[in-house]
Amino acid sequence: MKPYFLIALCFLALVSPTGAADEKAPESGAAEKAPGFPSDSLYQLESSWLTQDGKEIRLGSLAGSPVVIALVYTSCKASCPLILGDFRKIHKNLSENASRISFVLVSMDPDRDTPGRLKEFEKGQKFPAPGRWVLLNGKEESVRELAAALNVSYRKTGKEFAHSNVITVLDPTGKIAHQQPQPGSSVQKTIETIQGLLGGEGKP
Amino acid sequence: MTRWIVLGFLAALALGPAPSVWAEEEMAKIPGGKFVPLYGTNKKPVKVKAFWLDRRLVSGGDFLKFVEENPSWRCSAVKRLFADEGYLQKWRGDLEPGEADILAAPVVQVSWFSARAYCRSKGKRLPHTEEWELAALADETRPDASADPAFGRKILEWYSRPTGDKGPGPVGSAGKNFYGVYDLHGLVWEWTEDFNSIFMTGESRADRSPDEKLFCGAGAAGTADPLNYAGYMRYAFRSSLKATHTVANLGFRCARDLP
Amino acid sequence: MGGLDARSFKKRTVPGFFLAGVMAALLLAQVPAAPAETPALPEETAVLTAPPQVPPPITRKSPAKVVVKLEVIEEQKTLAEGVQYTFWTFGGTSPGLFIRVREGDLVEFHLSNNPQNKMPHNIDLHAVTGPGGGAASSFTAPGHESVFSFTALNPGLYVYHCATAPVGMHIANGMYGLILVEPAEGLPKVDREYYVMQSEFYTKGRFGKAGLQPFDMEKAIAEHPEYVVFNGAVGALAGDKAIQAKVGETVRLYVGNGGPNLVSSFHVIGEIFDKVYVEGGTVANENVQTTLIPPGGAAVVDFKVQVPGDYVLVDHAIFRTFNKGALGILKVEGEPVAAVYSGKQSDLVLKPEGEAIQKLPEEKAPPVKKKLTKAGRIAEGKKIFERICLACHQMNGQGVPRAFPPLAKSDFLNADVDRAIGVVMNGLQGKIVVNGEPYENIMPQLILTDEEIADVLTYVYNSWGNKGGEVTTAQVKKVRANTKK
């Protein structure tokens, strides 16, 4: 875990001060490079991310199954646990099909939530259905872009973040199928949406 | 000076386009500074590092060149994830903005994604909200005119007027400020990189967290300057946006870090 | 899409905020779900009306899904004769369009924000049960539309308004209106229904100062309006825009107060409200002279009109009526009933006390240097008359018996032009006799330019059966010179 941390730090150190230089190219060609996804699919985003295992992925690699996705940060003490609580509820209610759902947590605190830290966090959380949880670290502006696409607001104030608590369901093609504005009782609607998506895929 | 040139040269090498781009005639250096932002309930000033800011808003003509070079950002090709149906709606065709005044006016009806892509194509970025707010404290003669009620009133009067059918006037027509930056007030609203960092629910009075208190009722007493109505309106406007939105009086300009 | 707008967030440092936030989260979460589950209802699109009109009563005996489409439009409109203001409106009028639904209806609300608008807007309907009254769900950028639903649980007359920051300014610019939720059993039938809403305007220029007037924030904070009006403009309910009724009819006024600051002491001169649904609610008080309507509140008043004539709607904080514009007319036509008539006149005694001074701003009125033709003078004079003289002398110059002498076919006026100029220039105090009737009252000194005096008198002499002719500026100057001696 330590090495991951260091690698990530180096990576960030290289990236952030030069800013725009290395990300100039990817976005402008976005439209042509992702012909397979619908026009309003989240998978049109070309940014690349590191998983808790240090693997580099694009969001498009999540395609093919329903995705539950939210922005959190690991040192968050209050609202993020509520979001995670809803994720667990979703899992529990759909446990038979949990292997067909991806649970994605994107860190809004990429400086501190390195892949190593995310891995550690995952272990500590003892998530059910290991293997279906994807924790992502990305560049700050990739996070900002993803947040914008999900209509999530956030701002860093000291070590804390003020943020909206939206939980989003993506259909297998990356389109937003449902957004739950707050953790809480309305999770039922979220669960129903996923059930619908799974059903549509051909339930046994 | 020499250092600048060398760095500029290096940057140019790294970026391909735009060697002259960020020469002083195109961008103004905004010295860093501190100011108390509207959401600072503790009245703690925020520090903004020095940065470069485009002197002029991106015009219709500038944006036309951009879409010529980047077909994926043409009206007919743009992905719905990146812009809503209003994108460049007033243009006659993908590469035909129409009348000359559309070329000279700031480009509007562009989404946050498209504004960002434009700035990247120039090796730049959108300004952060705090950077924009710092630069916009200046009037013609002072770097910080915020204490002058007449300054606030003038801005407020512009905010109070609808855009009208004719759209905004040409780039540069609303005058330049202390830093030599044109049109920060009086022409169009502007996108910022983190427009979604302060958020009001739109239900300003029910806001409970320190930031949400910003917007009215009890909130007014908690903000840094209860008289700063002009500031409220900018934050309110930004909060009403989604990144795909295209609005008839919302344009942008680009910024850049100091090396 | 709509749910997304209900953004809320919490900063996690203080536990108290956390708890409050969680509770807010739960509240927020529950509200949108409720209306969505309702079984299929018959659907209709609401008829919305501009003031002073009210949509027809609802005859349905069961709930329906009612689609309400309201567009926010920012536009320049007339606040007073010669005075322009940039209004922010719900539906192109200020006050906004009147909405009428029935108790139990599921309302699907579409709020659109015109693409030409500068500002984001939203709507808080006091008839909504749920956080913000719809404000968060309806927060809309220019060129976009938001949709949200609510069930009209409680009958009553409710204010709606914009709640976007800065809220005070959005309201001060004209963003309010009324929504009536009719009780399931309906309201008692009446012959006429009208929509009246009081509000204030805070302009940079003093009352009457011509031209486009910007909003003045300092005056708004100090709660010192230049204008207090009914239905969004001086004279919006006067002259040919007066509301009408016939003797023997029952009139119902849906009266709201948009504020943003002042409480209205709503009164109709010469009438007693038979019934007032106090605060827009269910309880009806009877035999009321003046009813108090707070900003963001409303009242329903019913009365039977029994005597023909002009009834004056006022805010009985009376300087607002005579100096700031809060005056409307209900014109009642029909045969007089002598027995009732004489009992009513004492109300008019109130007017002289408040009448005080009608004046233009101290700053010089905008000099109109063009030489005017007689027709031009009459046109200009009409504007001045409507702005300044109408409140007392009335639209057709008929005056008010025992209080304000008539100008129409007035022997006093027609006998001596120079005297008339002097009266306008210097005011008049003491007893005079006009057309055989004695009047003892105060005509204030009016701060008008010589040109304006010539214009307004030319208009008066060429109206309502007076003797005609033209009053020139030179003539006025001569009178002024003689006065100074």
Side-chain angles (χ1 to χ4, degrees):
Chain A
M1 169 210 96
K2 258 255 163 77
Y4 278 129
F5 181 67
L6 285 176
I7 289 165
L9 263 190
C10 295
F11 179 67
L12 284 169
L14 281 172
V15 169
S16 28
T18 44
D22 54 338
E23 296 105 28
K24 184 180 73 73
E27 206 181 55
S28 47
E32 290 96 340
K33 282 183 199 164
F37 298 118
S39 182
D40 54 350
S41 165
L42 202 72
Y43 302 149
Q44 296 289 351
L45 295 176
E46 287 282 297
S47 47
S48 68
W49 302 79
L50 291 173
T51 68
Q52 72 269 40
D53 297 315
K55 197 176 129 199
E56 188 179 334
I57 64 160
R58 302 230 158 152
L59 296 174
S61 67
L62 298 165
S65 63
V67 169
V68 192
I69 184 169
L71 267 71
V72 295
Y73 62 108
T74 62
S75 54
C76 167
K77 293 288 178 289
S79 65
C80 307
L82 290 175
I83 294 174
L84 293 179
D86 271 14
F87 270 53
R88 286 173 201 277
K89 247 180 254 167
I90 293 164
H91 176 270
K92 198 173 161 193
N93 278 272
L94 298 167
S95 54
E96 282 169 35
N97 287 308
S99 60
R100 295 162 60 201
I101 308 165
S102 298
F103 297 88
V104 181
L105 297 167
V106 181
S107 172
M108 66 183 86
D109 188 9
D111 287 351
R112 288 190 293 167
D113 286 341
T114 59
R117 170 86 193 100
L118 292 174
K119 185 75 188 170
E120 196 187 358
F121 180 75
E122 185 195 20
K123 281 187 197 155
Q125 288 287 324
K126 297 200 170 60
F127 289 125
R132 298 308 299 172
W133 293 72
V134 184
L135 283 69
L136 294 179
N137 167 283
K139 291 190 233 28
E140 192 181 334
E141 53 180 63
S142 306
V143 178
R144 182 63 68 192
E145 185 181 69
L146 175 62
L150 291 173
N151 203 27
V152 166
S153 301
Y154 72 96
R155 182 166 60 81
K156 193 171 184 174
T157 51
K159 288 188 170 179
E160 300 294 320
F161 286 79
H163 59 99
S164 37
N165 298 315
V166 178
I167 296 171
T168 302
V169 178
L170 303 179
D171 76 7
T173 67
K175 285 166 67 156
I176 294 176
H178 176 66
Q179 293 203 299
Q180 178 188 331
Q182 290 286 343
S185 60
S186 60
V187 71
Q188 197 49 43
K189 186 85 200 296
T190 307
I191 292 165
E192 283 163 21
T193 306
I194 302 169
Q195 264 164 345
L197 291 172
L198 290 169
E201 272 187 340
K203 225 172 156 185
Chain B
M1 192 60 190
T2 327
R3 190 165 153 261
W4 274 117
I5 292 164
V6 172
L7 284 172
F9 182 62
L10 284 177
L13 275 183
L15 298 171
S20 64
V21 197
W22 60 304
E24 293 235 8
E25 64 262 28
E26 182 162 330
M27 300 188 92
K29 186 178 166 185
I30 312 295
K34 283 184 184 174
F35 76 105
V36 181
L38 193 65
Y39 51 80
T41 44
N42 51 8
K43 309 219 170 192
K44 237 165 73 186
V46 297
K47 231 175 120 183
V48 177
K49 281 193 276 183
F51 65 102
W52 291 93
L53 185 63
D54 276 356
R55 290 182 192 274
R56 290 169 186 276
L57 283 153
V58 173
S59 69
D62 297 334
F63 207 79
L64 175 62
K65 261 180 243 152
F66 168 70
V67 298
E68 279 167 358
E69 289 159 15
N70 297 275
S72 64
W73 288 105
R74 291 176 190 171
C75 182
S76 63
V78 72
K79 299 291 176 194
R80 273 297 152 262
L81 186 73
F82 299 132
D84 67 22
E85 295 81 359
Y87 182 68
L88 298 177
Q89 206 183 39
K90 289 237 174 78
W91 288 21
R92 276 195 209 127
D94 270 356
L95 301 174
E96 264 183 281
E99 281 132 59
D101 48 358
I102 291 194
L103 293 172
V107 66
V108 290
Q109 294 194 302
V110 286
S111 66
W112 177 80
F113 288 105
S114 61
R116 228 169 162 240
Y118 175 95
C119 292
R120 284 178 176 213
S121 77
K122 305 284 178 208
K124 301 179 188 174
R125 59 171 172 81
L126 285 174
H128 291 280
T129 305
E130 285 170 358
E131 292 173 336
W132 194 97
E133 290 286 329
L134 178 78
L137 291 175
D139 69 357
E140 295 84 350
T141 54
R142 296 165 288 188
D144 183 355
S146 60
D148 180 355
F151 177 63
R153 253 200 310 271
K154 201 174 134 195
I155 298 170
L156 200 62
E157 280 172 26
W158 176 71
Y159 289 167
S160 308
R161 283 195 305 273
T163 313
D165 291 330
K166 280 186 284 176
V171 168
S173 60
K176 74 176 165 180
N177 76 3
F178 176 79
Y179 301 114
V181 177
Y182 289 83
D183 307 332
L184 280 170
H185 299 292
L187 207 52
V188 290
W189 303 102
E190 298 185 29
W191 280 113
T192 58
E193 167 73 8
D194 53 347
F195 73 97
N196 58 350
S197 68
I198 294 289
F199 26 127
M200 300 147 55
T201 56
E203 165 41 321
S204 33
R205 306 145 301 169
D207 300 334
R208 284 180 179 80
S209 83
D211 286 295
E212 290 189 338
K213 261 193 202 159
L214 254 186
F215 300 98
C216 262
T223 56
D225 179 3
L227 291 182
N228 190 349
Y229 268 41
Y232 280 132
M233 292 166 99
R234 284 197 295 278
Y235 282 95
F237 184 84
R238 289 181 195 124
S239 297
S240 76
L241 297 172
K242 293 177 188 168
T244 51
H245 276 181
T246 60
V247 178
N249 50 33
L250 173 61
F252 70 100
R253 73 181 73 222
C254 306
R256 230 198 123 120
D257 290 344
L258 252 53
Chain C
M1 227 30 174
L4 239 199
D5 280 325
R7 292 184 236 178
S8 102
F9 78 130
K10 295 156 222 135
K11 196 186 151 193
R12 306 282 134 224
T13 37
V14 189
F17 281 128
F18 167 56
L19 282 179
V22 171
M23 284 162 71
L26 294 175
L27 277 171
L28 271 177
Q30 282 161 5
V31 173
E37 309 296 324
T38 316
L41 292 166
E43 185 171 325
E44 58 184 61
T45 301
V47 177
L48 308 181
T49 56
Q53 300 308 323
V54 177
I58 293 170
T59 51
R60 270 186 287 115
K61 295 290 173 240
S62 58
K65 176 176 165 187
V66 180
V67 178
V68 175
K69 290 184 176 170
L70 198 52
E71 181 182 17
V72 176
I73 301 167
E74 301 169 358
E75 63 184 335
Q76 202 172 303
K77 296 165 85 76
T78 299
L79 175 57
E81 201 51 58
V83 182
Q84 300 294 307
Y85 190 80
T86 303
F87 286 79
W88 298 350
T89 72
F90 284 108
T93 64
S94 179
L97 301 180
F98 195 103
I99 305 167
R100 186 168 197 156
V101 299
R102 182 184 176 277
E103 181 182 359
D105 282 352
L106 171 65
V107 181
E108 183 181 286
F109 209 100
H110 296 243
L111 186 76
S112 59
N113 191 351
N114 186 286
Q116 303 304 330
N117 290 353
K118 187 72 83 34
M119 305 303 299
H121 298 286
N122 64 7
I123 192 166
D124 167 353
L125 298 124
H126 291 180
V128 169
T129 307
S137 326
S138 62
F139 193 33
T140 309
H144 294 81
E145 180 182 291
S146 300
V147 183
F148 66 101
S149 294
F150 66 94
T151 301
L153 297 176
N154 302 59
L157 180 62
Y158 299 95
V159 166
Y160 66 77
H161 63 90
C162 183
T164 301
V167 180
M169 182 172 172
H170 282 255
I171 295 177
N173 283 347
M175 299 195 77
Y176 36 75
L178 291 178
I179 174 168
L180 172 67
V181 181
E182 272 196 48
E185 67 278 11
L187 286 165
K189 205 177 160 315
V190 291
D191 299 301
R192 307 263 183 172
E193 293 187 318
Y194 291 108
Y195 168 18
V196 177
M197 197 157 190
Q198 180 173 326
S199 59
E200 319 100 58
F201 287 87
Y202 300 85
T203 55
K204 199 166 181 180
R206 298 282 303 276
F207 180 89
K209 173 126 183 178
L212 176 62
Q213 291 298 329
F215 168 68
D216 187 308
M217 191 184 47
E218 281 85 6
K219 286 181 189 171
I221 292 172
E223 305 187 11
H224 290 151
E226 293 296 335
Y227 296 85
V228 181
V229 296
F230 294 123
N231 289 2
V234 176
L237 285 176
D240 52 6
K241 290 180 229 147
I243 51 179
Q244 317 265 342
K246 292 202 173 72
V247 167
E249 287 183 330
T250 317
V251 177
R252 173 173 295 149
L253 303 180
Y254 295 101
V255 191
N257 186 358
N261 294 317
L262 302 184
V263 174
S264 172
S265 305
F266 185 72
H267 177 80
V268 176
I269 298 177
E271 264 303 342
I272 296 160
F273 304 139
D274 297 329
K275 243 188 219 176
V276 176
Y277 295 88
V278 184
E279 293 165 357
T282 311
V283 174
N285 196 359
E286 292 181 355
N287 304 321
V288 175
Q289 56 189 312
T290 299
T291 192
L292 211 55
I293 309 176
V300 183
V301 305
D302 290 2
F303 51 92
K304 186 169 181 177
V305 288
Q306 287 149 312
V307 180
D310 286 356
Y311 294 84
V312 187
L313 282 57
V314 300
D315 179 340
H316 218 298
I318 209 75
F319 277 95
R320 298 175 190 168
T321 294
F322 292 103
N323 296 73
K324 297 186 171 184
L327 181 145
I329 302 285
L330 167 66
K331 196 177 253 315
V332 177
E333 286 175 347
E335 290 304 309
V337 184
V340 186
Y341 182 72
S342 55
K344 294 274 183 181
Q345 278 187 329
S346 58
D347 248 357
L348 295 171
V349 176
L350 292 168
K351 286 183 92 174
E353 296 173 359
E355 173 240 15
I357 306 159
Q358 280 289 357
K359 62 174 182 177
L360 278 175
E362 303 287 347
E363 314 99 73
K364 284 216 163 47
V368 185
K369 287 289 165 235
K370 293 178 290 194
K371 265 243 155 69
L372 289 174
T373 59
K374 184 178 162 191
R377 262 194 209 293
I378 292 173
E380 283 304 309
K382 182 169 192 286
K383 291 184 194 170
I384 298 166
F385 181 85
E386 289 177 0
R387 197 168 72 211
I388 297 169
C389 319
L390 172 84
C392 299
H393 293 292
Q394 304 291 298
M395 192 61 193
N396 295 314
Q398 74 270 37
V400 173
R402 309 240 177 134
F404 307 119
L407 301 176
K409 293 183 193 144
S410 159
D411 56 0
F412 185 86
L413 176 81
N414 287 307
D416 187 342
V417 176
D418 284 355
R419 178 172 68 185
I421 294 171
V423 169
V424 176
M425 191 181 292
N426 305 311
L428 181 68
Q429 189 163 4
K431 191 172 167 181
I432 58 170
V433 175
V434 180
N435 296 350
E437 291 288 326
Y439 292 87
E440 187 159 5
N441 208 331
I442 300 166
M443 159 102 175
Q445 179 177 8
L446 298 173
I447 302 169
L448 290 172
T449 64
D450 293 350
E451 181 101 41
E452 287 169 323
I453 292 173
D455 292 347
V456 74
L457 281 173
T458 304
Y459 168 69
V460 168
Y461 276 114
N462 286 280
S463 304
W464 322 305
N466 287 329
K467 68 175 184 182
E470 182 177 358
V471 179
T472 64
T473 313
Q475 213 171 342
V476 177
K477 285 194 195 308
K478 210 170 92 191
V479 173
R480 194 178 288 284
N482 289 335
T483 312
K484 278 175 188 154
K485 275 172 203 165

